[in-house]
């Protein structure tokens, strides 16, 4: 047996040395040697079983799948990859993968050298096979999007992943902020069946209900402003949102870095942190304000900052006249602002003042002047100086970001006027996102409000 094996090997080597270049002759020798070996093994039942075991182990080692084998698996993977990358009918589509040029070069080399040629084999060795490139994790194409590009699929998948991550984060945060906290209060080896955190909160809330602090309603704020206008008394109505609270909190309650992380919008609101001067001026304005709108939200950037800030500055909320920070919207929606401006001389202050003057002028509001622009909190002293240039007015509407709080208190304190922090209501009225109730549409209750 060894002699014949060696002879077969020698024959193959001989063909190679002779340089015949005949692939067919070499293949004939290989087939002859294989038939001889298989014939020897097939002479006995034991030999046949050993051959089956040997071939089976080879199939397992080579990773053949089903009746299609390794070549079929590679072809199937390649077809899936081409479909996901944007190929259609053998033609590269708009979403073809990056690196197609390299594959095209390899294909060109194969065509030049011909099938089975030396250059063809070299090109196949250098270019990765289909199974070597894992198919991308893209969504299965739907009927309406079979012609979509790879880029479109990537955008759709990215949006799906983002939405799924947001949903997962929301669920986890909801659990950690509720049921997980309740779970930490329950002793080990004990359960609280069929009672959830909402049930516990509802059951325990009556014990703290006596500490509720009332806010002025929009009707009460209107009555206060109407009385001040009628009697010629000064009144400032300001509002504290996350911009004002982050300004007050930076380097006092939280770090400047944390304030900047939460308040990327602050430059738009007219504040560039760190700004200790703006922080102290804002705190002084709050002490001087008559009615202060505060957030009802218990979010960390709202009430989570409000009371720590007031405590830091030694301001007792129980000594303040508080209303909701959205009182500007509610005054408009309830028709109170329409009634407040009717027959009054109005001054407008803020970057949208000129456009707002045109809007209100078409609705029978007597606008005696407007002042723009207001370039952030640093511009408050200049604005305060210019206010004396305008003709006499009764009421000022201010829409100037964080600076509006300071401007309103200076209008009331230095000029004895009624001033309202209008905020983003000005933008919403101009854009048509908020309706302006006409005077005839406003309902007046039995108590006059």
């Amino acid at each position: 047996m060894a002699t014949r094996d060696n002879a077969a090997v020698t024959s193959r080597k001989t063909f190679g040395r002779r340089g015949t270049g005949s692939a067919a002759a070499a293949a004939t020798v290989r087939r002859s040697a294989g038939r001889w070996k298989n014939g020897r093994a097939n002479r006995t039942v034991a030999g046949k079983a050993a051959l089956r075991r040997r071939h089976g182990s080879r199939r397992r080692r080579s990773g053949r799948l089903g009746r299609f084998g390794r070549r079929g698996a590679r072809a199937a993977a390649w077809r899936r990859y081409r479909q996901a990358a944007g190929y259609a009918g053998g033609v590269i589509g708009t979403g073809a993968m990056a690196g197609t040029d390299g594959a095209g070069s390899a294909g060109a080399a194969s065509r030049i050298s011909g099938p089975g040629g030396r250059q063809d084999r070299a090109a196949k060795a250098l270019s990765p096979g289909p199974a070597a490139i894992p198919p991308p994790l893209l969504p299965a194409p739907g009927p309406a999007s079979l012609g979509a590009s790879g880029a479109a699929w990537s955008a759709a998948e990215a949006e799906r992943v983002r939405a799924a991550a947001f949903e997962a984060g929301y669920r986890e945060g909801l659990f950690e902020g509720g049921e997980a906290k309740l779970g930490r209060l329950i002793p080990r080896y004990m359960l609280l069946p069929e009672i959830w955190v909402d049930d516990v909160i509802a059951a325990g809330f009556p014990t703290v209900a006596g500490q509720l602090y009332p806010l002025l309603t929009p009707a009460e704020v209107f009555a206060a402003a109407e009385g001040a206008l009628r009697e010629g008394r000064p009144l400032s109505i300001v509002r504290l949102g996350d911009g004002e609270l982050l300004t007050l909190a930076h380097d006092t309650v939280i770090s400047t870095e944390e304030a900047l992380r939460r308040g990327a919008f602050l430059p738009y609101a007219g504040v560039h942190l760190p700004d200790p001067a703006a922080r102290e001026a804002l705190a002084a304005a709050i002490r001087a304000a008559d009615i202060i709108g505060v957030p009802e939200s218990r979010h960390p950037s709202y009430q989570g900052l409000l009371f720590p800030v007031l405590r830091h500055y030694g301001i007792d909320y129980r000594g303040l006249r508080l209303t909701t920070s959205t009182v500007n919207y509610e005054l408009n929606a309830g028709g109170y602002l329409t009634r407040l401006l009717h027959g009054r001389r109005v001054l407008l202050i803020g970057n949208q003042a000129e456009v707002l003057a045109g809007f209100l002028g078409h609705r029978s509001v007597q606008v005696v002047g407007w002042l723009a622009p207001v370039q952030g909190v640093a511009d408050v002293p200049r604005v305060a100086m210019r206010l004396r240039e305008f003709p006499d007015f009764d009421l000022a509407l201010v829409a100037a970001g964080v600076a509006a709080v300071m401007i309103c208190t200076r209008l009331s304190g230095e000029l004895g006027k009624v001033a309202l922090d209008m905020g983003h209501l000005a933008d919403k009225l101009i854009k048509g996102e908020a309706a302006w109730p006409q005077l005839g549409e406003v309902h007046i209750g039995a108590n006059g409000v």
Side-chain angles (χ1 to χ4, degrees), residues 236-240 243-244 247-248 250 269-273 275-289 349 374-385 387 398-415 419-421:
S236 57
I237 304 169
V238 303
R239 302 175 308 107
L240 303 181
E244 290 79 11
T247 302
L248 290 165
H250 85 281
V271 182
H272 297 271
L273 301 184
D275 192 339
R279 182 185 65 214
E280 300 306 315
L282 185 56
I286 291 172
R287 290 191 179 96
I349 303 171
V374 178
Q375 298 173 338
V377 293
D379 204 24
V380 171
R382 182 191 68 84
V383 172
M385 291 295 295
L387 289 175
V398 186
V402 175
V405 178
M406 308 173 197
I407 294 172
C408 285
T409 54
R410 295 188 75 157
L411 280 165
S412 62
E414 298 175 10
L415 302 180
L420 170 64
D421 179 1

Side-chain angles (χ1 to χ4, degrees), residues 190-273:
M190 301 290 286
L191 297 178
L192 191 62
E194 300 183 1
I195 295 177
W196 307 106
V197 66
D198 289 342
D199 303 320
V200 175
I201 292 173
F205 185 76
T207 62
V208 297
Q211 301 180 40
L212 291 172
Y213 188 80
L215 301 178
L216 295 175
T217 66
E220 291 171 326
V221 173
F222 165 75
E226 178 70 24
L229 286 168
R230 187 173 56 251
E231 299 169 12
R233 292 183 289 101
L235 182 74
S236 57
I237 304 169
V238 303
R239 302 175 308 107
L240 303 181
D242 50 352
E244 290 79 11
L245 292 170
L246 286 168
T247 302
L248 290 165
H250 85 281
D251 275 347
T252 57
V253 173
I254 60 176
S255 66
T256 299
E257 291 73 17
E258 176 67 11
L260 288 170
R261 188 184 67 80
R262 297 197 205 178
F265 61 91
L266 283 172
Y268 170 77
V271 182
H272 297 271
L273 301 184

Side-chain angles (χ1 to χ4, degrees), residues 37-349:
K37 291 179 181 178
N38 291 343
R40 294 281 296 177
N42 289 341
R43 291 175 185 176
T44 64
V45 175
K48 291 180 180 180
L51 184 63
R52 283 196 298 271
R53 286 195 301 273
R54 184 166 64 252
H55 286 180
S57 63
R58 287 175 182 172
R59 282 196 295 270
R60 285 191 294 272
R61 285 196 301 272
S62 63
R64 294 180 181 179
L65 304 174
R67 67 190 186 93
F68 295 104
R70 178 170 53 190
R71 182 176 299 173
R74 284 183 176 179
W78 184 237
R79 284 195 299 272
R80 289 196 300 272
Y81 187 81
R82 287 164 63 90
Q83 184 182 24
Y87 288 79
V91 180
I92 299 176
T94 57
M97 63 179 181
T100 304
D101 292 341
S105 299
S110 300
R111 287 192 296 273
I112 292 172
S113 63
R118 188 174 301 171
Q119 292 182 15
D120 176 51
R121 291 194 298 273
K124 288 181 180 178
L126 291 174
S127 40
I133 306 175
L137 297 176
L138 295 174
S145 55
L146 289 175
S149 67
W153 280 118
S154 299
E157 178 67 4
E159 178 60 25
R160 187 191 68 78
V161 171
R162 186 202 65 79
F166 177 85
E167 180 65 23
Y170 175 80
R171 288 196 305 269
E172 183 65 21
L174 190 65
F175 169 74
E176 287 295 332
E179 297 297 341
K181 284 189 173 182
L182 177 60
R184 287 190 282 271
L185 299 176
I186 299 174
R188 285 290 310 276
Y189 310 112
M190 301 290 286
L191 297 178
L192 191 62
E194 300 183 1
I195 295 177
W196 307 106
V197 66
D198 289 342
D199 303 320
V200 175
I201 292 173
F205 185 76
T207 62
V208 297
Q211 301 180 40
L212 291 172
Y213 188 80
L215 301 178
L216 295 175
T217 66
E220 291 171 326
V221 173
F222 165 75
E226 178 70 24
L229 286 168
R230 187 173 56 251
E231 299 169 12
R233 292 183 289 101
L235 182 74
S236 57
I237 304 169
V238 303
R239 302 175 308 107
L240 303 181
D242 50 352
E244 290 79 11
L245 292 170
L246 286 168
T247 302
L248 290 165
H250 85 281
D251 275 347
T252 57
V253 173
I254 60 176
S255 66
T256 299
E257 291 73 17
E258 176 67 11
L260 288 170
R261 188 184 67 80
R262 297 197 205 178
F265 61 91
L266 283 172
Y268 170 77
V271 182
H272 297 271
L273 301 184
D275 192 339
R279 182 185 65 214
E280 300 306 315
L282 185 56
I286 291 172
R287 290 191 179 96
D290 297 300
I291 298 176
I292 304 170
V294 296
E296 296 178 72
S297 169
R298 298 175 66 86
H299 188 275
S301 290
Y302 290 96
Q303 282 192 34
L305 291 179
L306 172 65
F307 295 105
V309 161
L310 293 178
R311 191 180 310 113
H312 172 81
Y313 283 101
I315 302 173
D316 187 356
Y317 69 89
R318 289 177 288 264
L320 304 176
R321 298 171 71 188
L322 301 180
T323 187
T324 176
S325 59
T326 59
V327 69
N328 53 337
Y329 300 109
E330 296 181 34
L331 285 172
N332 177 66
Y336 297 114
L337 190 57
T338 302
R339 292 169 57 190
L340 205 60
L341 301 186
H342 178 66
R344 267 63 184 251
R345 296 165 297 175
V346 180
L347 174 67
L348 304 176
I349 303 171

